[in-house]
Amino acid sequence: MKQSGRCSTVFLVDDDPSVRKALTRLIKAAGYQVEAFASARDFLEWRNRPDRGSGCLILDVRMPGLSGLDLQQQLLANHAQLPIIFITGHGDIPMSVKAMKHGAVDFLPKPIKDTDLLKAVEQALARADHDLAEREELEDIQRRLESLTRREREVLALVVKGLLNKQIAFELGTVEKTVKVHRARVMEKMEVQSLAELVRIAERVGIGNASPAQKNQ
């Protein structure tokens, strides 16, 4: 079983000790780290730690107290991007549809086939890697944005909308030469080499509304 790159921890929540033991053994044999919990509450308490880590979650649907679907809703409410694989001995179609509509990677009936579970784990960890890379990229773009002055941000917004330097100067009540200076500083601070690259990263954080022609420049 191929192991995922940066996010290789599998979190397992099931109130059945025999299921936790069997699945932990299987997942560890495939080369992944495993953190197992007897209840959704135990998992949530652990998630509150600063070194909680990331990965994917294998989650039993029906458990005493907080159910698996309840836990999924809490994680969504907290914007926790944790791919979930549901497992259940009592699942039905409406339940599985609800889980999948809210982003679950898979919904597997017990007894679970080893190959099905490990395939789902691999897919879930691949999604976790992708989500982590997305978050890191957005954080990096935000860091660059915060280095801009207020006027440089204004120039950036107008540049990615497709305005020419003279048009930007008119909008801001300044001269074209000053706009050129601000524009050069924006390119430098945003760490881009082309207008197309600037437009792409600006769109990632919701700045501007670029035209197709700009994206191809």
Side-chain angles (χ1 to χ4, degrees), residues 15 26-27 31 35 41 51 88 107 133 144 160 191 199 212:
D15 62 311
L26 171 67
I27 297 163
E35 293 279 355
R41 292 292 180 193
D51 58 340
T88 182
F107 196 97
R144 297 182 226 173
V160 299
E191 301 172 19
V199 168

Side-chain angles (χ1 to χ4, degrees), residues 133-157:
E134 289 276 302
R135 290 196 301 275
E136 289 177 344
E137 183 181 3
L138 288 173
E139 288 170 2
D140 184 53
I141 294 172
Q142 191 60 44
R143 173 191 60 78
R144 297 182 226 173
L145 279 173
E146 289 171 358
S147 72
L148 300 180
T149 65
R150 180 183 60 82
R151 180 47 60 96
E152 287 166 354
R153 282 178 179 243
E154 291 172 343
V155 170
L156 167 62

Side-chain angles (χ1 to χ4, degrees), residues 162-216:
L163 273 66
L164 301 175
N165 288 343
K166 62 182 179 180
Q167 294 172 316
I168 296 173
F170 177 79
E171 288 284 334
L172 299 180
T174 185
V175 296
E176 188 173 351
K177 182 178 180 180
T178 301
V179 170
K180 287 181 180 179
V181 172
H182 286 312
R183 184 167 179 159
R185 287 176 180 167
V186 167
M187 299 289 284
E188 179 182 358
K189 290 182 179 181
M190 295 304 291
E191 301 172 19
V192 296
Q193 302 298 319
S194 68
L195 175 59
E197 190 179 357
L198 182 65
V199 168
R200 279 193 294 270
I201 66 172
E203 286 184 330
R204 292 295 310 280
V205 289
I207 296 175
N209 185 18
S211 66
Q214 276 184 278
K215 298 177 185 179
N216 295 325

Side-chain angles (χ1 to χ4, degrees), residues 2-217:
K2 184 178 179 181
Q3 193 166 341
S4 181
R6 294 179 295 180
C7 301
S8 57
T9 302
V10 178
F11 306 107
L12 169 63
V13 182
D14 196 303
D15 62 311
D16 187 329
S18 62
V19 172
R20 288 201 308 276
K21 183 177 180 180
L23 295 186
T24 296
R25 186 187 306 117
L26 171 67
I27 297 163
K28 283 185 174 180
Y32 302 108
Q33 299 178 41
V34 182
E35 293 279 355
F37 305 87
S39 71
R41 292 292 180 193
D42 289 345
F43 174 73
L44 284 175
E45 288 178 8
W46 186 88
R47 284 282 294 179
N48 288 330
R49 300 187 329 180
D51 58 340
R52 62 193 180 184
S54 59
C56 74
L57 174 61
I58 298 176
L59 181 58
D60 190 19
V61 173
R62 296 183 185 272
M63 294 182 290
L66 197 67
S67 72
L69 292 174
D70 291 336
L71 176 57
Q72 182 189 36
Q73 291 303 311
Q74 285 208 20
L75 292 173
L76 287 171
N78 294 330
H79 306 289
Q81 292 181 310
L82 191 65
I84 298 175
I85 302 162
F86 278 104
I87 57 175
T88 182
H90 310 280
D92 55 27
I93 292 176
M95 187 183 296
S96 62
V97 169
K98 181 179 179 181
M100 299 299 282
K101 282 179 68 176
H102 287 99
V105 174
D106 214 333
F107 196 97
L108 303 175
K110 297 177 182 178
I112 306 165
K113 293 182 180 179
D114 292 356
T115 53
D116 290 344
L117 181 63
L118 293 178
K119 181 179 179 181
V121 166
E122 189 171 13
Q123 291 174 343
L125 289 175
R127 181 189 292 185
D129 277 348
H130 177 269
D131 291 345
L132 178 59
E134 289 276 302
R135 290 196 301 275
E136 289 177 344
E137 183 181 3
L138 288 173
E139 288 170 2
D140 184 53
I141 294 172
Q142 191 60 44
R143 173 191 60 78
R144 297 182 226 173
L145 279 173
E146 289 171 358
S147 72
L148 300 180
T149 65
R150 180 183 60 82
R151 180 47 60 96
E152 287 166 354
R153 282 178 179 243
E154 291 172 343
V155 170
L156 167 62
L158 295 172
V159 166
V160 299
K161 284 183 177 179
L163 273 66
L164 301 175
N165 288 343
K166 62 182 179 180
Q167 294 172 316
I168 296 173
F170 177 79
E171 288 284 334
L172 299 180
T174 185
V175 296
E176 188 173 351
K177 182 178 180 180
T178 301
V179 170
K180 287 181 180 179
V181 172
H182 286 312
R183 184 167 179 159
R185 287 176 180 167
V186 167
M187 299 289 284
E188 179 182 358
K189 290 182 179 181
M190 295 304 291
E191 301 172 19
V192 296
Q193 302 298 319
S194 68
L195 175 59
E197 190 179 357
L198 182 65
V199 168
R200 279 193 294 270
I201 66 172
E203 286 184 330
R204 292 295 310 280
V205 289
I207 296 175
N209 185 18
S211 66
Q214 276 184 278
K215 298 177 185 179
N216 295 325
Q217 288 183 34

